[in-house]
Amino acid sequence: MLPLLAAAPAAAREIQLMMLGDSITAGYGLARGQGLPARLEAALRERGRQVRVIDAGVSGDTTAGGRARLDWALADRPDAVIVALGGNDGLRGIEPRASAANLAAILDALKRRNLPVMLAGMLAPPNLGADYGREFAATFTALAEARPEVVFYPFLLDGVAGQPALNQPDRIHPNEAGVAELVRRMLPAVESLLARVPQG
């Protein structure tokens, strides 16, 4: 009689994590494979997580642009989404209430699809004035406070903005070292997001 063979454990399902963003997500000025989605995926895999990070970044995109293309982006059928929009709204001085409305629409659409979400906040450039800066930053905080199901990462460029050694000559887009720092700082929040993805 043949001995019974123990069933091999099922391989962990690969999680599809979409990053909906602008040029920071799209890896502006960086070699292929050095952008934020690719480096985040590599860091997660180094931690033993089977995750594919989908690059849904479009350079120059605003919150309105992200809202307009959301359904198209979701055709990739992600299991979770990082919303990393708003930088271009701040650079253009767009009314914070308009940015808030666009982001709220994106977050609400993702909630209807039962997708876990991380919202990455953004700060406005200082040349637009302190009042605008406070209102702009408060947009992201208010959205997160109203949606406790959302993982909130207050500032996408935390630790990198304003650091010449971590940015390209335009002082806006992270270089390879800057992307590495973004990933290092974001990882705990991203892992909190992944913990909300249903298994099986």
Side-chain angles (χ1 to χ4, degrees):
M1 186 174 180
L2 294 175
L4 294 176
L5 298 177
R13 178 177 71 89
E14 183 178 70
I15 293 173
Q16 309 296 307
L17 172 59
M18 186 175 82
M19 192 165 188
L20 182 73
D22 48 34
S23 56
I24 305 299
T25 298
Y28 175 88
L30 296 172
R32 184 176 179 84
Q34 295 302 317
L36 182 54
R39 299 313 306 156
L40 179 60
E41 177 180 305
L44 289 167
R45 289 184 179 273
E46 286 174 5
R47 292 180 171 225
R49 291 185 173 273
Q50 297 302 305
V51 177
R52 181 170 78 93
V53 181
I54 301 167
D55 181 352
V58 172
S59 291
D61 218 357
T62 60
T63 57
R67 179 181 181 178
R69 66 184 173 89
L70 180 62
D71 287 342
W72 170 80
L74 289 173
D76 282 328
R77 302 177 65 84
D79 297 298
V81 179
I82 297 172
V83 178
L85 290 162
N88 289 307
D89 294 49
L91 287 172
R92 298 178 188 184
I94 291 174
E95 170 60 50
R97 284 176 293 182
S99 302
N102 291 324
L103 289 169
I106 291 170
L107 296 175
D108 292 345
L110 296 173
K111 183 176 182 179
R112 287 194 296 272
R113 290 167 171 80
N114 297 313
L115 290 171
V117 177
M118 181 177 117
L119 174 63
M122 184 54 65
L123 300 179
N127 62 294
L128 293 175
D131 289 344
Y132 181 88
R134 280 191 295 269
E135 188 177 354
F136 185 81
T139 292
F140 297 90
T141 304
L143 286 167
E145 288 177 347
R147 295 165 176 77
E149 74 278 4
V150 170
V151 176
F152 184 43
Y153 187 70
F155 184 32
L156 177 65
L157 298 175
D158 183 43
V160 173
Q163 302 297 319
L166 298 178
N167 285 281
Q168 298 177 45
D170 63 11
R171 300 185 180 182
I172 295 174
H173 298 92
N175 56 26
E176 289 187 21
V179 171
E181 182 64 11
L182 294 185
V183 169
R184 186 185 73 80
R185 289 174 179 254
M186 288 176 62
L187 270 175
V190 174
E191 292 195 307
S192 293
L193 172 65
L194 296 175
R196 302 184 183 201
V197 175
Q199 300 301 307

